[in-house]
Amino acid sequence: MVNHRKLTFLLAASLLSLTFVSKIAAEGCKYNEDLPCAQETPCCSAHGHCGNSPIACGTGCNPAASFHGQCVPFVLDEGLTPAGKPRPVPSQPKGSFKVIGNSGVAAQHIALVTPTKMLIIDKAENNPPKLPNGKAAYNAEYDLETNQYRVLDVQTNTFCSGGGFLPNGTLISAGGAESRMTHAFQTNTGFQSLRMWKPCDDKTCGWTENPQDPEWQMTSNRWYVSITTLPSGQLFVLGGSNESLAINRDPTNNPTWELYPKPEAAATYKPNFMQFMVDALPNNLYPNVYSLPDGNIYIFANQKSMIFNVEKNEVVKHLPDIPGGPRSYPLTGSHVLLPLDPAKNYAHEILVCGGSETMSTRSNALQSCGRINLHAADPQWEMDMMPSRRLMGDAVILADGKILLLNGCQKGYAGFVRGKDPVFTPVVYDPNAPLGSRFTEWTASNIARMYHSVAMLLPDGSIFVTGSNQNSEVRLENVEFPTEYRVESFTPPYLTTDLARPEILTAIPEKVAYDQKLELTVDLKDTSKYAPEVTFMMNRKGFVTHSTHMSQRMIKLVATKKKEEGTKVTYEVGMPPNANLMPPGPHYIHMLNNGVPSHAHPLLLN
C-alpha cells in the first residue's frame, strides 16, 4: 500500500531540490565561469571569486553559488595531498634559520652570478672591509661554499640601482646615485651608469665600466630603476627619478623607458615616454615588470597596472587598480609572478602582498594580498589576507613552487629610520591551495630584516637571507637597528623530510634551446615509502633589491617517463616552448620527488 503522505513529502523535497539546483545554476559564482564553487574553494565571495577564507565565507558571501549552498569553510587534512596521498614527513615542519657568514658590505642588492657566487652590492658607505687603497669597499663577491667574501672595486655609486642578465649570462647593473668623495670612501656619480659583470669561478672577475663613454651610459639619470629581460634578450629599463629623494614627484620623475643594448648609435638613441609612469606618481619607483606569453609586458606601480607593447610603444590594456592602498616604493609591497604551469596553459598570475597605508612612520603596513590572472577575459584582483601586516617584504619562489614571504616590518614606510616593528616570522603561500587556506607561518628568525634586506633561492633549495640597514650611513652601535652583516640560511621543510633527496644524474648541457628535448636520468633514491611523484622545474633568479625581484620566474617543464631501472628513471624533459615564457639567459633546473627537490643544475637558455 502506498503511503501517500510520504510520497507527497518526497515529491515536495525533490521539487525543492530541483529548484535549489536550478537556483545554483542560475546564480553561479561570477569568476568561476558562472558555475557553483567546488569543495576546496566552497564560498562565493562578495566579489564573485570562489575561496576558503574568512573574507570569502563572510559578509557578502553568496550561498546559492557556494558549495552545497552554504558559506562554510573547507578543512583539508594537512597530512595528505589534495588527492588523498600521504606526504613526506619533515622533521622541521616550519623550517629553520641559521647564521652562516658575514656579507662584508651591507646587502642592498644581490645577484647569483654562478651556482657558488653571490654578488652583494651596497651604496658607497663606510663598510668595515677596505680596498687596497685603504678606502671602504661597498661591493663584494660572496662564496656560497666557504661563506667568505671578496671585496670588489667599482668606480660609480651603485646605490638604488637595478640589474638584469643578458642571454650569455652577463649581468648588467644600471643606475645609481650621486658622487661621494670622503676620507673613508670615494665614488663617482652612478645615475646614468651601466656596469658589466662577466661571471667567473676563479675569483678573478670584476666590474667593467667606462662612465665617460656614451655607450656605457643610459640616456638619462635613473635612481630606483627597474630592469627586466625581454624575450628578445634585450633589457627593458624603466622609470626612476633623476635625483636621490624620499618620494618621487613630477619635477624629478623620469617617465621613460629604454633598451640595452641600444638598438641604434648611442649618440642618436632617445628614450621613450610612458604616460603610465606619470599617472602612477608619487609611488612609482622600482615598478614591477614581467614579460607575457604574447610578447607584451605587464607593469605595476603604486596601485596601477597595465599590459604594454614594447615594439609599438603603446598600451594594450589598463587593468583595475588593486584595492587597499599603494604597494610600490616607498610604500613597498612584495610582488611575484606565480610559477607557470603547462596544465594551466601557462596562465600568468601576479601576486602582490603588503605595502603601507600612508607615508608616515605611524602608518600601518597592509595585510592584504591581491592576485590577478592576466589570462582571464576580464582580469580582476582576488583579495586575500596574510597572517600579519608586512611592508618591504621579499617574495621568493621556493623550489616546490610555493612563495616564501619574509623580511620587512609592520609600521612606517621605506626609507632611513622610517620602518618600525620588524616582522620576524616568514609566511609561505601555496598558490594551489584554496583561497583562505594559502598562508602558513613558519619558524621565526631573531634578526630584524627591514630596509635594504634581501633574500634568494639557492641551487641547493635553501634561502640566502641577509642585509638590513635602516641608517643613512653604517651604524654599528647606539642605534635601535644597527647595520646588519650577518648572512642567514633558511632551510625549508622540504629539505628535512623522511624521503631521501633525489638527484639528477645526467650532465645538463651548458646551453639549451627553446623546445629542445633532454633525456635526463634521475635517481629517486627510495621508492619504498612513497609512490614516486616527479616534477621538473626551471627557475630564473634575477636581480634582487628593495623587495623587487627583477626577472624572477619559475616554470614547470613537461616530462615524459622513458625508462625505469630500480630507483633510476629516465625522462624526456621539454624545455620552455618559447622566449615569451622564459626569456633567454641563466636558469636552473631541479627535479622534485613528492615535493623534495634535487640540487639545481645551471644552464643558459637561448
Side-chain angles (χ1 to χ4, degrees):
M1 181 177 177
V2 178
N3 187 326
H4 293 286
R5 176 180 288 184
K6 185 174 181 180
L7 180 59
T8 301
F9 175 80
L10 290 172
L11 287 171
S14 298
L15 289 172
L16 180 63
S17 176
L18 287 171
T19 302
F20 180 68
V21 171
S22 298
K23 186 176 182 181
I24 290 178
E27 298 185 26
C29 208
K30 182 177 180 181
Y31 295 108
N32 190 43
E33 300 180 349
D34 288 325
L35 297 173
C37 296
Q39 183 179 13
E40 292 77 13
T41 52
C43 303
C44 183
S45 73
H47 301 289
H49 292 282
C50 292
N52 196 38
S53 68
I55 293 177
C57 300
T59 303
C61 175
N62 178 7
S66 299
F67 183 74
H68 274 188
Q70 301 179 75
C71 292
V72 177
F74 170 69
V75 179
L76 175 68
D77 185 338
E78 292 187 358
L80 302 176
T81 67
K85 297 180 180 179
R87 301 177 188 271
V89 181
S91 61
Q92 298 176 5
K94 295 186 177 181
S96 61
F97 282 95
K98 179 182 179 181
V99 174
I100 58 172
N102 182 299
S103 62
V105 303
Q108 294 189 4
H109 322 63
I110 57 172
L112 187 68
V113 288
T114 78
T116 62
K117 300 293 189 296
M118 183 74 76
L119 200 59
I120 300 178
I121 302 172
D122 189 13
K123 69 170 185 171
E125 59 181 334
N126 193 17
N127 290 296
K130 301 298 183 267
L131 295 165
N133 63 7
K135 300 297 182 181
Y138 58 98
N139 275 222
E141 182 189 69
Y142 187 91
D143 190 310
L144 297 167
E145 294 182 322
T146 65
N147 291 310
Q148 302 296 312
Y149 61 83
R150 173 174 70 99
V151 296
L152 306 168
D153 198 2
V154 62
Q155 299 178 43
T156 54
N157 196 350
T158 47
F159 184 29
C160 299
S161 53
F165 285 90
L166 297 175
N168 66 358
T170 296
L171 173 69
I172 299 295
S173 166
E178 65 279 350
S179 171
R180 303 192 74 191
M181 298 292 177
T182 75
H183 72 282
F185 53 89
Q186 295 180 350
T187 184
N188 297 310
T189 180
F191 281 120
Q192 289 184 237
S193 293
L194 291 166
R195 312 165 198 90
M196 179 179 291
W197 181 274
K198 293 183 178 180
C200 69
D201 281 314
D202 60 4
K203 301 181 181 181
T204 61
C205 43
W207 287 111
T208 302
E209 51 185 335
N210 186 358
Q212 306 307 316
D213 185 343
E215 291 289 347
W216 287 87
Q217 297 177 5
M218 291 180 291
T219 58
S220 51
N221 286 5
R222 296 191 186 274
W223 190 75
Y224 277 94
V225 59
S226 282
I227 298 173
T228 197
T229 305
L230 296 175
S232 65
Q234 292 173 295
L235 300 183
F236 179 80
V237 182
L238 175 64
S241 63
N242 56 42
E243 65 180 54
S244 301
L245 40 70
I247 191 167
N248 210 2
R249 56 193 189 278
D250 194 58
T252 60
N253 191 31
N254 187 345
T256 67
W257 63 270
E258 58 186 290
L259 298 175
Y260 180 84
K262 297 178 176 68
E264 57 187 76
T268 58
Y269 182 61
K270 303 296 181 185
N272 300 274
F273 174 75
M274 182 181 284
Q275 179 63 40
F276 176 85
M277 295 303 292
V278 176
D279 299 338
L281 281 168
N283 305 112
N284 70 346
L285 298 177
Y286 277 142
N288 287 266
V289 185
Y290 305 98
S291 64
L292 300 177
D294 58 5
N296 295 318
I297 59 175
Y298 169 87
I299 303 174
F300 181 105
N302 199 332
Q303 292 179 257
K304 301 182 179 299
S305 58
M306 69 167 181
I307 296 173
F308 184 76
N309 186 294
V310 174
E311 186 176 347
K312 296 179 180 179
N313 189 28
E314 65 181 28
V315 178
V316 176
K317 179 189 292 187
H318 284 286
L319 298 166
D321 287 2
I322 188 172
R327 300 171 191 267
S328 297
Y329 186 89
L331 310 183
T332 312
S334 310
H335 302 247
V336 66
L337 171 67
L338 298 180
L340 308 178
D341 188 343
K344 298 178 181 178
N345 197 27
Y346 301 108
H348 280 50
E349 295 186 84
I350 309 296
L351 178 70
V352 182
C353 290
S356 190
E357 295 172 344
T358 59
M359 192 172 168
S360 166
T361 55
R362 296 185 299 274
S363 63
N364 290 318
L366 301 178
Q367 192 172 351
S368 61
C369 293
R371 176 172 168 173
I372 190 167
N373 184 350
L374 303 180
H375 282 217
D378 179 25
Q380 298 292 323
W381 289 101
E382 174 191 82
M383 302 307 294
D384 205 347
M385 298 291 282
M386 295 182 286
S388 61
R389 301 176 183 275
R390 195 180 298 263
L391 162 74
M392 296 186 291
D394 285 280
V396 179
I397 307 176
L398 296 174
D400 60 1
K402 296 182 175 67
I403 312 301
L404 183 66
L405 300 170
L406 73 169
N407 302 337
C409 58
Q410 298 190 74
K411 281 190 176 295
Y413 62 96
F416 294 121
V417 201
R418 295 293 183 263
K420 299 179 180 180
D421 196 3
V423 182
F424 295 99
T425 303
V427 171
V428 67
Y429 175 89
D430 185 350
N432 297 316
L435 179 64
S437 302
R438 293 174 179 161
F439 291 103
T440 303
E441 291 186 305
W442 280 355
T443 298
S445 171
N446 60 8
I447 300 176
R449 305 277 190 190
M450 295 188 282
Y451 194 45
H452 296 144
S453 59
V454 290
M456 181 181 287
L457 174 71
L458 295 182
D460 69 358
S462 67
I463 310 302
F464 181 89
V465 187
T466 192
S468 193
N469 189 10
Q470 289 270 91
N471 313 293
S472 58
E473 302 293 343
V474 171
R475 294 288 184 270
L476 302 179
E477 55 186 14
N478 301 322
V479 290
E480 184 177 8
F481 298 106
T483 305
E484 185 60 66
Y485 295 103
R486 285 173 290 180
V487 176
E488 285 179 292
S489 173
F490 181 76
T491 300
Y494 56 53
L495 295 181
T496 71
T497 74
D498 58 343
L499 180 63
R501 292 189 69 176
E503 181 183 357
I504 299 175
L505 301 177
T506 306
I508 295 177
E510 180 182 350
K511 296 181 180 180
V512 299
Y514 288 100
D515 212 25
Q516 181 178 344
K517 304 296 188 295
L518 299 179
E519 279 212 352
L520 301 181
T521 299
V522 303
D523 188 350
L524 301 180
K525 303 292 187 179
D526 183 11
T527 58
S528 62
K529 194 166 187 180
Y530 304 100
E533 189 175 300
V534 173
T535 305
F536 288 85
M537 306 290 277
M538 177 180 282
N539 172 236
R540 185 186 185 103
K541 301 183 186 304
F543 181 94
V544 180
T545 184
H546 292 72
S547 306
T548 307
H549 290 236
M550 302 177 191
S551 297
Q552 177 187 214
R553 55 203 294 140
M554 181 177 281
I555 190 169
K556 183 178 181 180
L557 302 176
V558 176
T560 305
K561 185 190 293 186
K562 305 295 288 186
K563 185 174 62 174
E564 184 173 353
E565 295 178 359
T567 62
K568 294 179 176 61
V569 188
T570 300
Y571 292 87
E572 181 184 80
V573 183
M575 296 299 98
N578 56 64
N580 293 342
L581 295 177
M582 293 295 278
H587 295 74
Y588 288 81
I589 287 181
H590 60 265
M591 60 84 62
L592 302 100
N593 179 21
N594 282 283
V596 177
S598 69
H599 280 72
H601 290 228
L603 57 84
L604 288 175
L605 179 63
N606 284 284

